[in-house]
Amino acid sequence: MTTAHELQEALEEARELPDGDGKIAELERIAAHADAAGDVRLGYDARIDLIDAYNNHTERWRMLPAFGWCLAAYDRDPSMFEEWDGEQLRWYHKWAVATLRSTPRVGLAQTQAALDDMERRFRAGGHSMQTIYNLRCKIADHIGDEPGARKWFDLWRTAERDENSDCAGCDPSRQAELLAGWGEWDDAVKTVEPVLSGVLGCAEQPEKALVAVLMPYLRLGRHEEAAKAHVRAYRRHRHERDAFAFLPEHLRFCVLTGNADRAVDILAEHLSWLDRPYDDASAMEFAAAGALVCRLAAPTGRTIHRPSFESRPEATLTLEQLGADLAAQAREIAGQFDARNGTDHQSRRMARWMSAEPMLDSLELPPDQPTPSYMTEPGLPPEGREEVVAPLNVQSITAALDDRGDRYYVDEDGTVGGQWGKGMLTFDRMGEQGEILHVRVVAQRRLPADRLMEAYAFCNAWNHDKLLPKAYVHDTGQGDLILAGDITTDLEHGVAAPQLGVLLHAAIVTSAQFADEVADLP
């Protein structure tokens, strides 16, 4: 790659690669070639894609040098960039500051300086301070400054939202996590009620909110709700690599409610994820929760197979052996955070986690794989699926997704859903006999309410130029807009597997394209 054209083509191809080490290596190589050629704009674009790749893979702290380079390039010559670049850079500035809090590899003074710089830029641009208060609250809580955290928390909750704010469906979950950490059990549950009731939501909900209130539910004696929340949330989180940060709460919940065997099962299933965590904070919490599981479940006499990683050989370990390793890892990372922060907050917090005692002797959990009514419906026979025309049912939908190799979940009511690209898709059956296939996509990105006319224009243009999906705008009444679309197909006379496969493929591809274009709006 020597010419600008070749570099640009390579960048376009790299963007299509799946998230992972290969994509990161290719983007890093393109950025290096761009620097050697003196092409600042291409170097900027490659690093912006790198920030995305780091965020979607592991070791998110690696985005920091790339972000710093982009910010400096933007400051040196703003005329080189479009207005959209500035908006995107503000969003990534938030990612960078949040990442600093999740790793001890960067000094606290540098973290505070990055946030001060971010606040200066936001004030100069006339933006809301809601995002700034959010980050200051979390940093104060991280270092153990609860009074400071509560001050920023109140400002965060009352400040006006704008286009730089976190998702309206995720903010309550993050606030509930803080409230639970301060022992405000009732307020934590009340905070996520709009999410659990469906008033607010996003692609990560309601599972994220359900995890946030696991411990508050237990403390409030709402045991049945806690059990249902764990099972429903884990049913999704067990399949999503980026849900690693939620697993510590699932582990703690199980082992503290007398479900030690399930806790060991979860630990064993996800132990290898600890070798490539998204950040140091989630690794610390997973290790501490795992050590707690090993301590309380040790009387079961179970062992766990730990696969090899780098120089560590594979081994089958007793819970006592594995627990000692995990406890040491949790203490080491907590110590690194505390050395950086100048406090002992994280070490004390992890010590409390690892020394916790069961809250209940036994809590019955609902079936992990419920058998709802749709499972009793006759599905397409295992042989002859190519020729048989049969009524649309949930099993035929999931079989088509299985054929594609997609990941999905199935709710108790038979709704099939999952995330494709930057959109959340659901597949439902409508009509008196469930004969109508209804596919709905909700774009991850939301727009502020003051861009309503722009959102209408986008959807009108999409509906004019595209066949699928039908796009529309929903004003949440909470200061932001949801852009969504749907596809409805009447299958009154039945459907064969190949036909359904074509229908779902078309729906997924076009819906993902819709969500991507929403994400690319200025």
Side-chain angles (χ1 to χ4, degrees), residues 61-361:
W61 57 271
R62 294 174 65 188
M63 74 171 65
L64 300 177
F67 172 77
W69 192 99
C70 290
L71 192 63
Y74 186 90
D75 286 344
R76 281 195 303 270
D77 187 5
S79 66
M80 185 184 299
F81 303 93
E82 305 292 334
E83 181 180 354
W84 159 243
D85 293 310
E87 293 183 12
Q88 185 180 41
L89 207 55
R90 282 197 300 276
W91 194 263
Y92 286 177
H93 204 151
K94 180 170 64 175
W95 281 8
V97 173
T99 298
L100 293 171
R101 192 185 76 255
S102 68
T103 179
R105 303 166 195 261
V106 181
L108 184 61
Q110 184 176 348
T111 301
Q112 299 286 11
L115 183 49
D116 290 344
D117 179 55
M118 183 178 174
E119 179 173 344
R120 176 184 63 79
R121 293 171 187 270
F122 272 48
R123 290 191 182 279
H127 303 290
S128 169
M129 289 293 101
Q130 200 252 10
T131 295
I132 304 300
Y133 299 149
N134 172 341
L135 292 169
R136 291 202 183 281
C137 172
K138 293 173 182 175
I139 289 174
D141 181 72
H142 170 76
I143 64 176
D145 178 11
E146 185 176 326
R150 286 180 178 272
K151 178 191 74 171
W152 295 117
F153 183 85
D154 291 338
L155 292 169
W156 171 18
R157 290 223 283 195
T158 56
E160 182 180 357
R161 294 176 53 81
D162 67 2
E163 69 275 10
N164 302 302
S165 298
D166 284 346
C167 165
C170 288
D171 254 1
S173 300
R174 297 187 177 109
Q175 292 167 357
E177 292 170 3
L178 290 163
L179 289 166
W182 302 332
E184 304 286 350
W185 316 119
D186 200 45
D187 283 349
V189 173
K190 289 178 180 177
T191 297
V192 296
E193 281 177 352
V195 179
L196 299 181
S197 65
V199 174
L200 296 175
C202 72
E204 295 186 30
Q205 301 296 356
E207 292 81 7
K208 191 173 187 176
L210 291 171
V211 170
V213 293
L214 282 177
M215 292 301 164
Y217 273 158
L218 286 180
R219 296 289 185 179
L220 294 170
R222 297 167 65 170
H223 299 156
E224 183 177 354
E225 291 169 279
K228 290 180 179 178
H230 158 67
V231 170
R232 178 175 180 181
Y234 181 66
R235 193 179 296 139
R236 175 179 179 180
H237 291 155
R238 73 183 302 172
H239 299 297
E240 298 184 352
R241 184 65 178 79
D242 58 357
F244 181 71
F246 301 129
L247 296 180
E249 284 299 279
H250 287 297
L251 290 170
R252 296 174 65 214
F253 171 83
C254 287
V255 80
L256 295 177
T257 58
N259 289 282
D261 278 329
R262 181 175 172 85
V264 174
D265 290 342
I266 294 174
L267 177 61
E269 182 170 350
H270 301 287
L271 185 58
S272 62
W273 292 8
L274 182 59
D275 294 328
R276 291 293 302 272
Y278 275 84
D279 55 57
D280 297 293
S282 60
M284 173 185 71
E285 293 187 348
F286 183 91
L292 171 66
V293 169
C294 291
R295 179 174 68 82
L296 295 181
T300 65
R302 294 188 54 181
T303 60
I304 290 182
H305 178 78
R306 192 172 198 183
S308 61
F309 179 70
E310 295 181 342
S311 61
R312 186 192 69 220
E314 65 174 328
T316 298
L317 305 173
T318 65
L319 293 182
E320 289 88 345
Q321 291 170 323
L322 178 60
D325 291 344
L326 295 177
Q329 184 173 358
R331 292 189 188 102
E332 179 181 7
I333 300 174
Q336 292 170 352
F337 272 120
D338 287 344
R340 191 274 301 269
N341 298 338
T343 69
D344 64 351
H345 178 67
Q346 294 300 327
S347 293
R348 288 189 291 107
R349 189 167 72 94
M350 292 301 97
R352 288 196 301 270
W353 276 29
M354 291 187 286
S355 62
E357 294 298 332
M359 298 170 63
L360 298 171
D361 292 334

